[in-house]
Amino acid sequence: SSTMAPVIMGAPGQPALGEELTNSFCRTEPDIAKRFARVTFLSDNRQDIAGLMTPTLILQSTDDLIAPVCVGEYLHAALPASTYCLVDNVGHCPHMSAPGACSVAMDSFLLPWVGADASR
């Protein structure tokens, strides 16, 4: 955990975030973590999204070791109702290391459903 979490987190200027992710990994029961890792890294769910018309926001970091930009681009091409937002960020957790950019993207994506009142 202490080796992989900082690599996954990225955020070179925010070492506390790597520590936070390490602590989160260490709190997870080992059997559950093992099953989660197996499903996450060995599953191929590309067929599951075929024909999906649900509006979807794809937040993609510009530099992500786990999911490179081509993954976000693939999803955007495969999901006709998707909105693709490339966040200038290093790491796989932009919601933690670039929360402002993520918040702006989410607000913009949700605006058609919540209306102008959400911007107040």
Side-chain angles (χ1 to χ4, degrees), residues 72-118:
E73 291 171 345
Y74 168 82
L75 286 170
H76 183 50
L79 297 167
S82 67
T83 300
Y84 180 65
C85 182
L86 191 59
V87 176
D88 185 19
N89 183 64
V90 175
H92 189 64
C93 305
H95 62 289
M96 295 174 69
S97 53
C102 292
S103 178
V104 167
M106 289 186 285
D107 286 347
S108 176
F109 177 75
L110 293 171
L111 192 60
W113 292 283
V114 297
D117 290 338

Side-chain angles (χ1 to χ4, degrees), residues 16-100:
L17 292 177
E19 292 174 27
E20 185 176 338
L21 190 57
T22 298
N23 293 336
S24 174
F25 285 171
C26 289
R27 284 190 304 269
T28 304
E29 177 141 354
D31 287 340
I32 293 171
K34 182 178 179 182
R35 289 175 194 234
F36 175 79
R38 183 175 306 230
V39 168
T40 299
F41 294 109
L42 299 178
S43 295
D44 182 353
N45 296 96
R46 288 176 284 186
Q47 290 183 6
D48 296 337
I49 63 171
L52 185 64
M53 295 302 297
T54 304
T56 305
L57 174 62
I58 302 165
L59 287 172
Q60 175 72 55
S61 290
T62 52
D63 185 359
D64 183 342
L65 179 69
I66 302 295
V69 170
C70 64
V71 173
E73 291 171 345
Y74 168 82
L75 286 170
H76 183 50
L79 297 167
S82 67
T83 300
Y84 180 65
C85 182
L86 191 59
V87 176
D88 185 19
N89 183 64
V90 175
H92 189 64
C93 305
H95 62 289
M96 295 174 69
S97 53

